Amino acid sequence: SGAFKKRTIVATEFRRFYERGDLPIAVEHRGIGNKIAWKVAIEKLDYHHYLPIFFDGLREKEDPYRFLAVQGTLDMLEHGGSKILPVIPQLIIPIKTALNTRDAQIIATVLKILQVLIVSGEMIGEALVPYYRQILPIFNIFKNANNNLGDGIDYGQRKRNNIGDLIQETLELFEINGGEDAFINIKYMIPTFESCVLN
Amino acid sequence: MAMPVKKPISMKRAKYWCENVEEAYRFQAAGWKDEEEYACSYGVPDRWPDHQWVKRLQVKGKKGGVWYYFSSKRECLDKWLPQVKLYQYE
């Protein structure tokens, strides 16, 4: 029925803003890894404005937009502290849009970012519980997206690109950090999920 | 006001990862030799509270201020070790 089919990826606001020169970032190609040069200190940024734009860029697959969006999001989450929690409601639509592309590369990126988001500050896990209805349907579709290699060894495990494993890890983090209502809400959206806390 | 920069007396390349190498890597990513040189221009850098690794640095030679932000986790991969220079002073 096409539930797993990739959808068209619509152009991102992130790319438009970056090309217009509205974002205070640039890529620096260094011999020891690429880095983002921030032209404004992250602590001074308006998170309500910038963080949703960076999350919107997570569905980019083309560099430098992909690198800037992913690394920029990680930097903002790691250095945001208490400024992240009030922005959570604005992050849901970009997360949902990215997951709905059903593109394996994009889903893997979003799942890794979600894992960082949940632990980036206090009460963020709890704040995400009301939005499970938006986020978890795609988790439910891809929860069993795993490779059956028989007795072979999956040498790609270090790349962490296996969607099924990433979804399981993310759901466990949701449950651990989501407070007492988390499990029942996850179970409602993903009936095959079993608790990692209660059992 | 900028202090005079001390000159190192020797330099060797990192052979394996350790906390000193991570420290040197972060300063050199931003274009500085080490904390000595950075402190002469911008003073004491911000550090992570748990293990005291550098958190953010101003990039050398950029007008108007450009910042690099560093993770609280290890950033210097093994493949970059030979490029990390460890300076020694008198």
Side-chain angles (χ1 to χ4, degrees), chain A residues 8 108 116 131 143 159 181:
Chain A
T8 317
V116 177
Y131 302 106
K143 188 169 179 287
K159 293 180 186 163
D181 296 334

Side-chain angles (χ1 to χ4, degrees), chain A residues 28 30-44 71 75 78-79, chain B residues 25 29-31 48 55-56 59 62 65-72 75 80 83:
Chain A
E28 298 261 321
R30 296 264 168 168
I32 39 182
N34 295 343
K35 288 210 75 80
I36 287 192
W38 289 89
K39 293 165 192 167
V40 175
I42 293 180
E43 296 80 18
K44 291 180 184 163
Q71 194 56 49
D75 281 358
E78 191 151 25
H79 298 85
Chain B
Y25 165 80
W48 286 102
K55 194 175 180 182
R56 69 165 188 173
V59 183
K62 298 269 183 181
V66 168
W67 287 267
Y68 280 177
Y69 282 80
F70 297 94
S71 168
S72 59
E75 285 204 8
W80 295 323
Q83 294 183 55

